[in-house]
PDB file of all heavy atoms in Angstrom:
ATOM      1  N   SER A 666     164.103 241.116  43.256  1.00 97.00           N
ATOM      2  CA  SER A 666     164.972 242.185  42.758  1.00 97.00           C
ATOM      3  C   SER A 666     165.980 241.577  41.784  1.00 97.00           C
ATOM      4  O   SER A 666     166.312 240.382  41.878  1.00 97.00           O
ATOM      5  CB  SER A 666     165.696 242.850  43.919  1.00 97.00           C
ATOM      6  OG  SER A 666     164.763 243.437  44.820  1.00 97.00           O
ATOM      7  N   PRO A 667     166.475 242.345  40.834  1.00 97.00           N
ATOM      8  CA  PRO A 667     167.453 241.787  39.882  1.00 97.00           C
ATOM      9  C   PRO A 667     168.730 241.339  40.588  1.00 97.00           C
ATOM     10  O   PRO A 667     169.190 241.972  41.539  1.00 97.00           O
ATOM     11  CB  PRO A 667     167.726 242.949  38.927  1.00 97.00           C
ATOM     12  CG  PRO A 667     166.549 243.860  39.087  1.00 97.00           C
ATOM     13  CD  PRO A 667     166.130 243.737  40.509  1.00 97.00           C
ATOM     14  N   ALA A 668     169.280 240.223  40.103  1.00 96.00           N
ATOM     15  CA  ALA A 668     170.572 239.726  40.594  1.00 96.00           C
ATOM     16  C   ALA A 668     171.553 239.780  39.418  1.00 96.00           C
ATOM     17  O   ALA A 668     171.316 239.144  38.380  1.00 96.00           O
ATOM     18  CB  ALA A 668     170.433 238.299  41.124  1.00 96.00           C
ATOM     19  N   SER A 669     172.627 240.538  39.564  1.00 95.00           N
ATOM     20  CA  SER A 669     173.569 240.764  38.456  1.00 95.00           C
ATOM     21  C   SER A 669     174.700 239.756  38.494  1.00 95.00           C
ATOM     22  O   SER A 669     175.155 239.325  39.566  1.00 95.00           O
ATOM     23  CB  SER A 669     174.152 242.179  38.540  1.00 95.00           C
ATOM     24  OG  SER A 669     173.100 243.135  38.420  1.00 95.00           O
ATOM     25  N   LEU A 670     175.167 239.366  37.312  1.00 94.00           N
ATOM     26  CA  LEU A 670     176.308 238.452  37.176  1.00 94.00           C
ATOM     27  C   LEU A 670     177.085 238.814  35.918  1.00 94.00           C
ATOM     28  O   LEU A 670     176.479 239.053  34.858  1.00 94.00           O
ATOM     29  CB  LEU A 670     175.814 236.997  37.078  1.00 94.00           C
ATOM     30  CG  LEU A 670     176.907 235.944  36.873  1.00 94.00           C
ATOM     31  CD1 LEU A 670     177.774 235.821  38.121  1.00 94.00           C
ATOM     32  CD2 LEU A 670     176.294 234.590  36.510  1.00 94.00           C
ATOM     33  N   THR A 671     178.405 238.851  36.051  1.00 93.00           N
ATOM     34  CA  THR A 671     179.287 239.087  34.905  1.00 93.00           C
ATOM     35  C   THR A 671     179.967 237.781  34.556  1.00 93.00           C
ATOM     36  O   THR A 671     180.603 237.159  35.421  1.00 93.00           O
ATOM     37  CB  THR A 671     180.324 240.166  35.216  1.00 93.00           C
ATOM     38  OG1 THR A 671     179.638 241.383  35.533  1.00 93.00           O
ATOM     39  CG2 THR A 671     181.238 240.392  34.028  1.00 93.00           C
ATOM     40  N   VAL A 672     179.876 237.386  33.276  1.00 89.00           N
ATOM     41  CA  VAL A 672     180.526 236.169  32.794  1.00 89.00           C
ATOM     42  C   VAL A 672     181.719 236.584  31.950  1.00 89.00           C
ATOM     43  O   VAL A 672     181.565 237.294  30.932  1.00 89.00           O
ATOM     44  CB  VAL A 672     179.548 235.310  31.965  1.00 89.00           C
ATOM     45  CG1 VAL A 672     180.248 234.071  31.430  1.00 89.00           C
ATOM     46  CG2 VAL A 672     178.341 234.919  32.812  1.00 89.00           C
ATOM     47  N   ASN A 673     182.915 236.211  32.411  1.00 87.00           N
ATOM     48  CA  ASN A 673     184.134 236.552  31.673  1.00 87.00           C
ATOM     49  C   ASN A 673     184.258 235.639  30.468  1.00 87.00           C
ATOM     50  O   ASN A 673     184.219 234.423  30.579  1.00 87.00           O
ATOM     51  CB  ASN A 673     185.358 236.414  32.569  1.00 87.00           C
ATOM     52  CG  ASN A 673     185.318 237.403  33.735  1.00 87.00           C
ATOM     53  OD1 ASN A 673     184.875 238.531  33.573  1.00 87.00           O
ATOM     54  ND2 ASN A 673     185.790 236.955  34.908  1.00 87.00           N
ATOM     55  N   GLY A 674     184.453 236.235  29.269  1.00 69.00           N
ATOM     56  CA  GLY A 674     184.571 235.479  28.029  1.00 69.00           C
ATOM     57  C   GLY A 674     184.240 236.393  26.875  1.00 69.00           C
ATOM     58  O   GLY A 674     184.077 237.600  27.018  1.00 69.00           O
ATOM     59  N   THR A 675     184.212 235.769  25.650  1.00 56.00           N
ATOM     60  CA  THR A 675     183.940 236.571  24.462  1.00 56.00           C
ATOM     61  C   THR A 675     182.510 237.062  24.507  1.00 56.00           C
ATOM     62  O   THR A 675     181.573 236.269  24.625  1.00 56.00           O
ATOM     63  CB  THR A 675     184.177 235.740  23.196  1.00 56.00           C
ATOM     64  OG1 THR A 675     185.530 235.263  23.225  1.00 56.00           O
ATOM     65  CG2 THR A 675     183.961 236.597  21.953  1.00 56.00           C
ATOM     66  N   GLN A 676     182.376 238.390  24.360  1.00 47.00           N
ATOM     67  CA  GLN A 676     181.056 238.985  24.442  1.00 47.00           C
ATOM     68  C   GLN A 676     180.171 238.485  23.304  1.00 47.00           C
ATOM     69  O   GLN A 676     180.535 238.574  22.138  1.00 47.00           O
ATOM     70  CB  GLN A 676     181.183 240.514  24.354  1.00 47.00           C
ATOM     71  CG  GLN A 676     179.856 241.245  24.413  1.00 47.00           C
ATOM     72  CD  GLN A 676     179.292 241.295  25.817  1.00 47.00           C
ATOM     73  OE1 GLN A 676     180.064 241.198  26.769  1.00 47.00           O
ATOM     74  NE2 GLN A 676     177.996 241.413  25.926  1.00 47.00           N
ATOM     75  N   GLY A 677     179.143 237.867  23.584  1.00 47.00           N
ATOM     76  CA  GLY A 677     178.148 237.471  22.585  1.00 47.00           C
ATOM     77  C   GLY A 677     178.458 236.184  21.871  1.00 47.00           C
ATOM     78  O   GLY A 677     177.725 235.795  20.993  1.00 47.00           O
ATOM     79  N   THR A 678     179.620 235.513  22.112  1.00 49.00           N
ATOM     80  CA  THR A 678     179.968 234.257  21.430  1.00 49.00           C
ATOM     81  C   THR A 678     179.455 233.093  22.239  1.00 49.00           C
ATOM     82  O   THR A 678     179.884 232.902  23.378  1.00 49.00           O
ATOM     83  CB  THR A 678     181.476 234.146  21.240  1.00 49.00           C
ATOM     84  OG1 THR A 678     181.939 235.260  20.505  1.00 49.00           O
ATOM     85  CG2 THR A 678     181.822 232.853  20.519  1.00 49.00           C
ATOM     86  N   PRO A 679     178.559 232.292  21.693  1.00 53.00           N
ATOM     87  CA  PRO A 679     178.042 231.164  22.471  1.00 53.00           C
ATOM     88  C   PRO A 679     179.076 230.054  22.607  1.00 53.00           C
ATOM     89  O   PRO A 679     179.894 229.842  21.731  1.00 53.00           O
ATOM     90  CB  PRO A 679     176.844 230.694  21.629  1.00 53.00           C
ATOM     91  CG  PRO A 679     177.152 231.112  20.237  1.00 53.00           C
ATOM     92  CD  PRO A 679     177.928 232.381  20.355  1.00 53.00           C
TER      93      PRO A 679
END
Side-chain angles (χ1 to χ4, degrees):
S666 299
S669 298
L670 178 69
T671 300
V672 178
N673 296 323
T675 303
Q676 179 76 24
T678 302

